[in-house]
């Protein structure tokens, strides 16, 4: 099967700092990637997506970078806020299914 | 837009009971819905892909007779955990996709916490 993994299981940052969450994927044929945020007891919430024909996409305070050469995806959160504390998952689309990475817990310290 | 509603949010029942979980797309039609299972502090594990009007596609290792999926309309998919046992206790999450094969994000429900005593 396909695998999507993360380099860091937990990340602690100071409020106001920038956060970078990384993800490695294994299927070079995957053409669509998504970052999700999951708060405790809730379903994942869409943050930002990127197609494989792009290497960067920006949203409000978030940027996703895609490096297809090394099959690496990252999520950058600018000026991290306490409300950003959650678990973040990357997801990779292959064969019309989505496969999720293991997740990174982001702790924002006030 | 793109709201997915999942019901119930929590179920506690005795071993041997069958439990039905509903997943509804409230403001869009979803030809494809997905069912996931999530254990504490772990990622989402895809169980099956639910296609409107056809049989669900199950991932390897998921028992289709244990986890019955029905997708009878474009806005509703159901997952029935048959004869549930304590090891079936988990967080079950559904998602729905706007497009078919196009690159569109999934939209998730808020999950169902299933506890089997």
């Amino acid at each position: 099967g396909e695998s999507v993994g993360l380099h860091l299981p937990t990340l602690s940052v100071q409020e106001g700092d920038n956060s970078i969450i990384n993800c490695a994927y294994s299927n070079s044929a995957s053409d669509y990637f998504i970052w999700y945020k999951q708060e405790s007891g809730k379903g994942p919430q869409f943050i930002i997506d990127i197609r494989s024909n792009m290497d960067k996409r920006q949203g409000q305070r978030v940027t996703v970078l895609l490096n297809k050469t090394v099959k690496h995806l990252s999520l950058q959160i600018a000026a991290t806020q306490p409300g950003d504390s959650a678990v973040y998952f990357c997801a990779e689309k292959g064969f019309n299914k989505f496969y999720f990475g293991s997740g990174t817990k982001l702790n924002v310290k006030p | 837009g793109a709201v997915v509603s999942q019901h119930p949010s929590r179920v506690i029942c005795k071993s041997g009971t069958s439990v039905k979980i509903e997943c509804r797309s409230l403001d869009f039609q979803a030809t494809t819905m997905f069912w996931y299972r999530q254990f504490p502090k772990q990622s989402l594990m895809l169980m099956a892909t639910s296609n409107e009007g056809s049989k669900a596609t199950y991932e390897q290792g998921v028992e289709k007779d244990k986890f019955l999926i029905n997708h009878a309309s474009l806005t509703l998919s159901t997952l029935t955990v048959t004869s549930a046992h304590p090891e079936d206790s988990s967080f079950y999450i559904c998602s729905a996709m706007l497009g078919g094969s196009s690159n569109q994000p999934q939209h998730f429900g808020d999950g169902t916490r299933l506890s089997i005593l």
Side-chain angles (χ1 to χ4, degrees):
Chain A
E2 297 169 28
S3 67
V4 182
L6 291 174
H7 296 305
L8 297 172
T10 59
L11 177 65
S12 292
V13 299
Q14 204 68 39
E15 180 179 358
D17 287 352
N18 297 333
S19 303
I20 299 176
I21 301 171
N22 297 300
C23 177
Y25 64 95
S26 60
N27 186 357
S28 57
S30 293
D31 61 357
Y32 182 54
F33 304 87
I34 308 173
W35 279 102
Y36 286 95
K37 172 186 180 183
Q38 186 179 28
E39 296 175 326
S40 181
K42 295 188 176 181
Q45 177 186 359
F46 171 84
I47 301 174
I48 192 168
D49 60 358
I50 188 167
R51 290 167 174 74
S52 59
N53 60 353
M54 303 171 69
D55 52 22
K56 181 179 180 178
R57 189 160 188 233
Q58 288 184 294
Q60 189 176 17
R61 281 202 307 119
V62 295
T63 301
V64 55
L65 299 178
L66 175 63
N67 185 330
K68 294 181 289 292
T69 302
V70 295
K71 291 183 284 187
H72 184 266
L73 195 67
S74 69
L75 176 70
Q76 300 178 1
I77 305 174
T80 313
Q81 302 169 0
D84 295 327
S85 293
V87 178
Y88 290 80
F89 294 98
C90 66
E92 164 190 24
K93 186 181 179 187
F95 306 108
N96 282 337
K97 304 176 189 177
F98 292 87
Y99 297 94
F100 281 73
S102 55
T104 293
K105 183 176 175 62
L106 178 65
N107 293 319
V108 181
K109 296 177 285 186
Chain B
V3 177
V4 175
S5 173
Q6 195 170 334
H7 178 81
S9 59
R10 187 174 182 94
V11 179
I12 302 172
C13 57
K14 294 180 180 178
S15 184
T17 306
S18 291
V19 178
K20 180 186 280 189
I21 303 170
E22 293 187 347
C23 181
R24 294 181 185 273
S25 56
L26 297 185
D27 52 357
F28 67 99
Q29 294 184 329
T31 54
T32 304
M33 290 184 175
F34 301 92
W35 287 96
Y36 293 85
R37 184 173 181 175
Q38 186 178 32
F39 291 106
K41 297 184 180 180
Q42 293 190 24
S43 187
L44 282 74
M45 183 183 73
L46 180 63
M47 298 175 66
T49 303
S50 171
N51 299 296
E52 188 269 335
S54 64
K55 291 184 178 180
T57 304
Y58 290 81
E59 294 298 299
Q60 191 173 11
V62 178
E63 299 176 59
K64 60 182 179 181
D65 295 329
K66 173 76 172 177
F67 300 100
L68 300 178
I69 291 172
N70 183 279
H71 193 158
S73 78
L74 286 170
T75 59
L76 174 64
S77 176
T78 61
L79 168 69
T80 301
V81 184
T82 61
S83 187
H85 293 287
E87 59 266 28
D88 299 321
S89 298
S90 190
F91 192 51
Y92 292 87
I93 312 174
C94 72
S95 71
M97 202 162 69
L98 277 149
S101 59
S102 61
N103 289 333
Q104 295 286 339
Q106 302 175 85
H107 299 276
F108 285 85
D110 269 342
T112 297
R113 176 77 58 194
L114 177 60
S115 300
I116 308 298
L117 306 177

